[in-house]
Amino acid sequence: MRELFYLPDMRTTRVALAGVTSMLLAVSACGDGPSTPDETRRAPRISAIEPTSGSPLSSPMQVTIVGDALSGATVETPPGMFAEPTVAHSAGMELRLSYMGIPPGPHWISVATPFGRDSVQFSVLPLGPDAALEETRALWVSRFEWADASDIGTIMDRAEDAGFNLVYFQVRGRADAFYRSSLEPWSHMLTGELGRDPGWDPLEVAVGEAHRRGLELHAWINAFTGWAGSDPPGISEPLHAFIEHPDWVMVDQGGAPMPYGSGSRWLTPGHPDVRSRLAAVSADIARRYDVEGIHLDFIRYPDPRYSYDHPSLSAFDSARAQDATLTFDDMRRRFVTWAVAEVRDSLEAADPDGKLSAAVWGIFRNPMGWASVTTGYDDVLQDARAWDRMGLVDALAPMVYWTVGERYGARLDFAYLADDHAEALEVPTYIGIYVPPLSRVDLTTQIERARLAGAEGVSVFSYTSLRDLGAWGALRGGAFYWPARPH
């Protein structure tokens, strides 16, 4: 291996990445191509790595590998680096590189053809003592992942240790509360009985533990999931929404209310009072707790079979009188958007500095024509990109809960979907990563690929999955090696 040191300008240096495995990428010849047939039989040789755009430690960086006999070569990168070729010809390859977690020191790029291989080495310099990325690294912490205050402290320790800078802490699951609320009853998960005071306040503890470690804490709220189980909620103080307001339930096309069962029974966003309750809960939390923001989840329908309730149908009839082209799907997407808008307005009144974000469906539409996929826009009636256009949210976390495909754009390919969301959205985009099917190597790869897409961060699901994977050290030593400030 020959050395070819590239020393980045420390005034523009921002970050680096470490990983765990190499990535081989096929590069197809284009441009001028080889000038003679003999050129294809010579071993490749790299003469230079030339930065063409970007900062050496920011994502993405554009570089050109200059040399000889590079047509048709594969590119091998060091552990943790993610490279995608954009243009290749006989004398050079243009690459987009993301290596924001690589620690300082020597690293390399290699090219290979059937006739030989060549490698060059370059150096990554350390950040300055006060330098940090601007990148959101969010961790979803659900209501199922802790039992007491000690657990919450441990969660915040691990989040800080791994390099996260924001925690989405779930405080509303099914029209209940994991904090002191006069609007909705204490969750039965805390004591075994709906409405019973557990004697402590999980949200208050979470805020304190997060802030002691320099983490942002956003209250995570399930918007329209109302109850689960075959029995209705019990009597509590305050009453659960389905006891006090039985007409808030979603209804099917035949007029039957969504039944109690093993899955969630949903609240209908077509009822104005359901939207008002969601806004009031959000404002109440923002007013009384030192949270940095409100994070919405399940801000959608379960599927198009619901909700044909009377308030929804009545509003649709009125809207159709003004616009005969409006469909009921359009109307239901509008109800969800109105709910987000009401939360936005209430949050601004309660805490003008509070941020509003939402976890949204991982596939917005299906322009690739993939078979048997569910989309946010058509199937769960969630038009998250309208929220972006209307300025209703400060960030979106698309739940891209799949893996990097064998080829770009393959069915449910993480790389394609990350690009699709990052390119379409104006607000900061935190690509949602689902840990359970991933290895530590895969996790690093997905974080780097989200950076390459131009996303402003990632949101990882979830604490327990990372714990079970044993990924805390891998994150701190790799993808989250360098410090970062959230957006």
Side-chain angles (χ1 to χ4, degrees):
M1 178 185 293
R2 296 171 296 107
E3 292 188 354
L4 182 70
F5 285 95
Y6 177 68
L7 304 180
D9 181 350
M10 290 306 294
R11 291 169 298 176
T12 59
T13 294
R14 291 175 57 198
V15 96
L17 162 68
V20 207
T21 191
S22 299
M23 180 166 297
L24 290 172
L25 296 164
V27 180
S28 299
C30 58
D32 296 335
S35 56
T36 67
D38 289 340
E39 186 171 326
T40 63
R41 297 185 176 90
R42 294 190 289 115
R45 180 172 175 79
I46 300 173
S47 57
I49 301 177
E50 300 176 351
T52 54
S53 66
S55 170
L57 299 180
S58 66
S59 174
M61 179 184 175
Q62 199 86 14
V63 303
T64 299
I65 298 176
V66 179
D68 299 314
L70 299 177
S71 180
T74 59
V75 178
E76 186 176 354
T77 59
M81 183 185 291
F82 198 103
E84 282 189 345
T86 56
V87 178
H89 48 77
S90 61
M93 299 180 188
E94 293 181 14
L95 302 174
R96 290 194 309 155
L97 303 180
S98 180
Y99 54 109
M100 294 178 70
I102 289 181
H107 300 283
W108 52 268
I109 293 179
S110 177
V111 295
T113 70
F115 306 100
R117 170 188 297 272
D118 192 22
S119 298
V120 294
Q121 187 168 298
F122 62 97
S123 286
V124 173
L125 298 185
L127 289 173
D130 299 320
L133 281 177
E134 185 179 15
E135 176 181 73
T136 296
R137 300 168 181 173
L139 176 64
W140 276 301
V141 177
S142 81
R143 64 196 189 277
F144 302 102
E145 297 183 295
W146 49 268
D148 54 31
S150 175
D151 289 344
I152 294 174
T154 298
I155 288 169
M156 300 304 170
D157 277 340
R158 297 290 82 76
E160 179 194 20
D161 291 345
F164 288 97
N165 52 31
L166 184 153
V167 171
Y168 293 131
F169 186 80
Q170 193 170 40
V171 298
R172 187 193 200 224
R174 296 185 175 100
D176 53 8
F178 292 81
Y179 62 97
R180 297 194 182 279
S181 172
S182 62
L183 299 172
E184 296 184 317
W186 283 107
S187 172
H188 72 284
M189 290 178 60
L190 294 166
T191 63
E193 180 181 332
L194 184 68
R196 179 188 293 178
D197 191 331
W200 67 293
D201 187 329
L203 179 54
E204 182 178 59
V205 170
V207 169
E209 296 288 351
H211 289 175
R212 272 192 287 277
R213 295 162 177 81
L215 303 169
E216 285 195 8
L217 195 291
H218 295 224
W220 167 11
I221 294 172
N222 282 4
F224 302 134
T225 49
W227 193 248
S230 56
D231 297 320
I235 300 301
S236 61
E237 178 59 41
L239 289 172
H240 186 276
F242 281 151
I243 300 300
E244 187 174 14
H245 304 287
D247 59 327
W248 286 10
V249 68
M250 285 194 179
V251 172
D252 68 18
Q253 197 162 2
M258 183 179 284
Y260 289 102
S262 57
S264 290
R265 191 176 196 248
W266 288 58
L267 301 156
T268 174
H271 198 302
D273 291 342
V274 170
R275 301 194 299 269
S276 295
R277 168 64 65 85
L278 178 63
V281 164
S282 302
D284 180 51
I285 292 170
R287 188 177 296 113
R288 295 193 298 111
Y289 293 87
D290 188 21
V291 296
E292 278 73 27
I294 299 296
H295 181 65
L296 301 175
D297 196 6
F298 289 93
I299 183 77
R300 57 179 179 83
Y301 285 76
D303 59 60
R305 295 176 298 167
Y306 297 96
S307 174
Y308 292 79
D309 54 89
H310 177 71
S312 295
L313 294 173
S314 178
F316 177 54
D317 288 341
S318 297
R320 284 268 294 178
Q322 304 298 319
D323 180 4
T325 67
L326 190 73
T327 69
F328 193 49
D329 282 357
D330 293 332
M331 192 72 217
R332 286 179 290 181
R333 281 187 285 268
R334 188 177 293 183
F335 290 142
V336 176
T337 298
W338 288 352
V340 176
E342 288 192 37
V343 172
R344 170 89 269 170
D345 289 346
S346 296
L347 178 58
E348 287 183 349
D351 179 8
D353 296 325
K355 301 173 185 176
L356 180 61
S357 62
V360 297
W361 205 256
I363 307 170
F364 179 65
R365 302 296 291 269
N366 186 17
M368 301 295 284
W370 295 333
S372 304
V373 297
T374 300
T375 68
Y377 186 88
D378 295 301
D379 297 309
V380 299
L381 306 171
Q382 178 189 74
D383 189 358
R385 295 186 183 176
W387 314 342
D388 177 29
R389 293 191 302 272
M390 297 167 68
L392 301 180
V393 290
D394 297 297
L396 290 171
M399 296 175 288
V400 185
Y401 284 177
W402 301 280
T403 58
V404 176
E406 292 185 3
R407 61 175 178 81
Y408 184 79
R411 184 177 179 274
L412 302 177
D413 173 36
F414 178 93
Y416 170 84
L417 290 168
D419 286 346
D420 182 60
H421 290 292
E423 291 169 5
L425 296 171
E426 293 295 326
V427 293
T429 305
Y430 312 145
I431 301 298
I433 295 174
Y434 186 62
V435 173
L438 305 180
S439 67
R440 291 191 290 272
V441 172
D442 296 332
L443 177 59
T444 294
T445 296
Q446 291 203 354
I447 293 171
E448 279 303 300
R449 189 56 185 77
R451 289 165 169 163
L452 198 60
E456 287 78 11
V458 294
S459 191
V460 180
F461 187 89
S462 64
Y463 166 75
T464 300
S465 300
L466 287 174
R467 182 199 64 195
D468 294 346
L469 185 61
W472 308 115
L475 285 171
R476 172 57 80 179
F480 294 167
Y481 181 87
W482 299 99
R485 297 182 296 268
H487 281 266

